[in-house]
Amino acid sequence: MQGISLCQKYQDYFSIGAAVSEETIKAHGELLKYHFNSLTAENAMKFQTTNPKERVYDFRPADPIAGFAKENQMRLRGHTFVWHRQTPDWVFQEGGNPRDKQEVLGFLSDHIRTVGIYFRDKAYCWDVVNEAISDEPGEYLRDTLWRRALGDGYIETAFRTAREHLPDAQLFYNDYNTYQPEKREKICRLIRGLKERDVPIDGLGMQGHWGIGRPAIDEIRQTLDIYAGLGVRLQITELDISVYDHGDPRTDLTVPGPGMLDRQAEYYGKLFELFREYREQIDAVTFWGIADDATWLDQFPVQGRKDWPLLFDTQGRPKKAFDAVTNF
Ligand code: HAH
């Protein structure tokens, strides 16, 4: 590898992360070592992977990721203890019948304790709760199986349990669409409420699954100003910039359409200029992937539609967007 290293260029600003799997580490090991100083397991540390059955824990998928991070002196983010997706059914029901509150509470604390302690010396922070806020107007918390089983207090319980076993980890709440004014209000309400009750929360993760030109840079700036006032650390935890506008009907592109990569580069450039301004608040910016050959956006929101949302192309070569974020 030669040329500018992304994480070196940003060493006085924030760490630069990538979401990875064992496969993408194999495909892009050298790129990762050269440009990134932090990792998140895209799936390997989620509930359904680490704790697929009652009392059964499996760290084989996560071990190579944690090992690679350690060998290469990279930081590791834990993702995620409590989420309504990628969590097995056995947690909430047995033989079709909902479990009672005490049982589910037992599983929650067993999970956080076992997984947390396993990664205690490896992960410096955890997304303790992911996506608990509702997207519905007028509704505060999302209707999830966790909430149905445990009531609104499950969020607080998760953070307190995490702190009990992980005295030194940074504990995060993580969500998407964090820039939308109504959702932003709800996120502020959640974090203020937790802090008022002395619940141990250290940070807010803004996922950052965005698109070219959306949200507007000013909306993100306003959002950062508001969250900066909460007294928690901020991270961009899952950044990718889709090349598609809302309502773009094309689903069969095999290479990016005309102008897409230029617009993407321009947006990425402005975004990182903004992030640099907020370096006092932002500790890390993590991309949800490494290079355009493997991205969850190939399946979301349109199944099978190729997307090119990252800084490196399908061959792992730096894109225009890379130049835009490193040219300062
Ligand atoms: C994120 N959700 C999750 O935090 C991450 O764990 C997953 O791998 C990808 C994206 C984003 C999301 C979603 O899954 C469904 C609807 C909207 C947003």
Side-chain angles (χ1 to χ4, degrees):
M1 292 279 153
Q2 47 178 17
I4 295 172
S5 151
L6 184 58
C7 63
Q8 262 173 34
K9 185 83 192 182
Y10 276 90
Q11 65 183 346
D12 296 333
Y13 293 87
F14 31 73
S15 49
I16 300 282
V20 299
S21 63
E22 192 176 358
E23 294 73 41
T24 62
I25 288 178
K26 282 210 181 91
H28 295 299
E30 293 307 310
L31 199 66
L32 278 171
K33 287 188 224 172
Y34 194 75
H35 290 291
F36 297 86
N37 50 16
S38 178
L39 297 182
T40 304
E42 185 170 4
N43 291 299
M45 287 162 74
K46 289 174 179 172
F47 204 124
Q48 72 176 19
T49 313
T50 53
N51 193 180
K53 298 200 176 75
E54 192 177 336
R55 282 187 292 271
V56 174
Y57 286 90
D58 186 0
F59 298 112
R60 284 171 300 179
D63 280 341
I65 297 172
F68 185 86
K70 194 175 170 141
E71 276 161 38
N72 297 293
Q73 294 90 44
M74 302 163 102
R75 314 179 89 189
L76 180 67
R77 301 193 78 252
H79 176 80
T80 171
F81 288 139
V82 177
W83 189 26
H84 61 286
R85 307 180 76 209
Q86 294 183 259
T87 302
D89 292 341
W90 65 260
V91 178
F92 307 107
Q93 53 145 349
E94 190 179 28
N97 302 313
R99 296 189 186 263
D100 68 40
K101 181 173 177 174
Q102 285 314 314
E103 257 183 317
V104 179
L105 209 50
F107 295 144
L108 173 95
S109 75
D110 196 52
H111 180 82
I112 294 177
R113 178 173 47 79
T114 308
V115 178
I117 288 175
Y118 186 84
F119 292 108
R120 192 165 43 196
D121 302 324
K122 303 179 173 103
Y124 77 100
C125 75
W126 269 96
D127 293 329
V128 176
V129 177
N130 196 30
E131 304 178 353
I133 302 277
S134 173
D135 293 313
E136 303 297 325
E139 183 181 77
Y140 173 41
L141 295 180
R142 184 190 294 276
D143 178 23
T144 70
L145 293 175
W146 284 116
R147 182 165 168 239
R148 285 188 191 185
L150 303 177
D152 292 1
Y154 80 98
I155 300 173
E156 170 165 350
T157 304
F159 277 95
R160 290 195 190 281
T161 308
R163 178 57 81 230
E164 191 184 320
H165 303 293
L166 301 173
D168 301 323
Q170 291 183 37
L171 306 181
F172 275 73
Y173 175 73
N174 191 51
D175 213 330
Y176 63 88
N177 288 358
T178 53
Y179 63 90
Q180 289 181 349
E182 196 187 337
K183 194 152 177 188
R184 199 163 66 189
E185 275 301 304
K186 296 179 204 174
I187 291 171
C188 288
R189 172 175 163 193
L190 175 68
I191 292 180
R192 286 200 193 101
L194 292 174
K195 289 181 79 85
E196 270 164 29
R197 294 193 303 282
D198 283 322
V199 179
I201 176 167
D202 302 295
L204 170 61
M206 303 167 61
Q207 290 186 4
H209 297 294
W210 296 331
I212 297 173
R214 104 195 117 75
I217 298 297
D218 271 347
E219 285 179 88
I220 305 176
R221 176 188 295 283
Q222 277 175 26
T223 300
L224 290 169
D225 284 336
I226 290 170
Y227 292 150
L230 291 172
V232 291
R233 306 304 307 159
L234 301 180
Q235 292 197 18
I236 312 299
T237 52
E238 306 186 15
L239 185 62
D240 45 24
I241 305 300
S242 171
V243 297
Y244 294 99
D245 290 314
H246 269 314
D248 190 326
R250 291 171 290 181
T251 57
D252 57 354
L253 294 183
T254 53
V255 292
M260 276 179 165
L261 296 186
D262 292 325
R263 290 176 58 210
Q264 182 187 52
E266 194 188 328
Y267 185 72
Y268 258 123
K270 289 187 181 144
L271 200 54
F272 273 74
E273 191 175 53
L274 178 70
F275 293 160
R276 291 195 298 274
E277 262 187 64
Y278 285 81
R279 62 200 261 191
E280 299 299 333
Q281 284 79 33
I282 298 176
D283 292 331
V285 175
T286 297
F287 293 86
W288 207 242
I290 309 162
D292 287 344
D293 59 325
T295 161
W296 78 298
L297 293 177
D298 289 348
Q299 314 304 331
F300 182 90
V302 181
Q303 185 86 25
R305 180 183 73 172
K306 183 71 198 127
D307 208 331
W308 297 271
L310 299 162
L311 296 189
F312 299 92
D313 72 12
T314 55
Q315 311 289 313
R317 295 172 303 213
K319 294 160 64 182
K320 258 196 177 169
F322 176 90
D323 299 334
V325 308
T326 52
N327 180 18
F328 63 93

